[in-house]
Amino acid sequence: QKEVEQNSGPLSVPEGAIASLNCTYSDRGSQSFFWYRQYSGKSPELIMFIYSNGDKEDGRFTAQLNKASQYVSLLIRDSQPSDSATYLCAEDSSYKLIFGSGTRLLVRP
Amino acid sequence: DAGVTQSPTHLIKTRGQQVTLRCSPKSGHDTVSWYQQALGQGPQFIFQYYEEEERQRGNFPDRFSGHQFPNYSSELNVNALLLGDSALYLCASSVSTGFYGYTFGSGTRLTVV
């Protein structure tokens, strides 16, 4: 059974720092991944989609995919208190998303 | 451009009852997926509907059933509710042609007492 693993956190970083969030997956054949942000009591909001090895940048966010090591990461530069949320990593798997349990990020002012 | 709309936003039901949750997909989307998110967990895939049929199903019992209408909207039905069914139920819509990701609705918070 395919699995996506995330450290539940919380990960606490000071405002302006780089937050690094990680995710590992079990299926070596997995091709593409999503990062979603979820504020408490709200629905997941798409941040990034990555399907090739290497880095993908979008504003303050950089997603990294390493298929050989089976991990995906999300870097948030210049972290802001408004970035405080749970970050969900999801594997795109044949008509469905397989989510990790999420990492809670706290950005301290 | 309307996003994904779910109703109701909150619902309280008694154990053993039945519930129906509704979802209208984003304009231009023709595929609807349902997820269950328990507190502190990531969303778990229930099933996906495309062309009014269940295309794929996750590891959920038959008490969970669904429907998709010709206008692409969808319903999730849960029979014989258990306390463990208390969760946030999320609807996600997508396009069958090409891949542009999934858009989630704001969810229905179901509490079973």
Side-chain angles (χ1 to χ4, degrees):
Chain A
Q1 183 170 337
K2 296 181 180 182
E3 291 186 342
V4 174
E5 302 274 350
Q6 292 183 261
N7 187 317
S8 61
L11 173 66
S12 181
V13 300
E15 184 174 355
I18 296 175
S20 177
L21 303 157
N22 300 306
C23 160
T24 59
Y25 58 95
S26 61
D27 184 4
R28 186 169 292 276
S30 297
Q31 297 291 320
S32 53
F33 295 85
F34 294 88
W35 281 100
Y36 282 87
R37 176 174 64 196
Q38 187 173 30
Y39 293 110
S40 181
K42 303 296 185 182
S43 63
E45 171 191 9
L46 180 63
I47 298 175
M48 297 282 285
F49 169 62
I50 187 165
Y51 61 91
S52 58
N53 266 333
D55 298 358
K56 179 180 179 182
E57 187 174 319
D58 184 1
R60 296 187 296 113
F61 299 96
T62 299
Q64 300 172 321
L65 174 58
N66 185 320
K67 293 186 178 180
S69 300
Q70 296 178 236
Y71 80 79
V72 193
S73 63
L74 179 69
L75 300 178
I76 306 174
R77 291 181 298 281
D78 188 23
S79 295
Q80 301 298 309
S82 59
D83 293 327
S84 297
T86 296
Y87 289 80
L88 296 163
C89 173
E91 173 189 340
D92 180 31
S93 174
S94 182
Y95 305 134
K96 66 179 181 288
L97 295 175
I98 300 173
F99 284 90
S101 58
T103 298
R104 187 164 156 237
L105 173 66
L106 297 176
V107 181
R108 309 186 303 271
Chain B
D1 180 21
V4 179
T5 303
Q6 290 188 244
S7 63
T9 55
H10 294 85
L11 203 53
I12 300 176
K13 288 288 190 177
T14 302
R15 191 172 42 182
Q17 285 188 315
Q18 177 264 345
V19 68
T20 298
L21 310 181
R22 295 177 175 82
C23 172
S24 293
K26 182 178 179 179
S27 178
H29 286 189
D30 58 2
T31 302
V32 174
S33 304
W34 287 92
Y35 289 81
Q36 179 196 66
Q37 187 175 23
L39 204 60
Q41 300 297 316
Q44 298 291 313
F45 175 75
I46 302 175
F47 41 53
Q48 184 182 86
Y49 275 84
Y50 170 63
E51 292 190 332
E52 302 180 48
E53 292 195 356
E54 183 182 291
R55 178 154 72 173
Q56 185 162 142
R57 188 180 184 91
N59 188 25
F60 279 80
D62 292 344
R63 298 187 296 108
F64 290 77
S65 63
H67 190 79
Q68 185 179 35
F69 300 92
N71 67 352
Y72 309 121
S73 67
S74 177
E75 289 181 348
L76 164 66
N77 301 292
V78 186
N79 294 322
L81 285 166
L82 303 174
L83 296 179
D85 295 331
S86 295
L88 179 67
Y89 287 84
L90 296 162
C91 170
S93 71
S94 56
V95 180
S96 59
T97 55
F99 183 70
Y100 305 98
Y102 299 87
T103 302
F104 281 85
S106 56
T108 294
R109 172 72 62 185
L110 172 65
T111 302
V112 182
V113 298

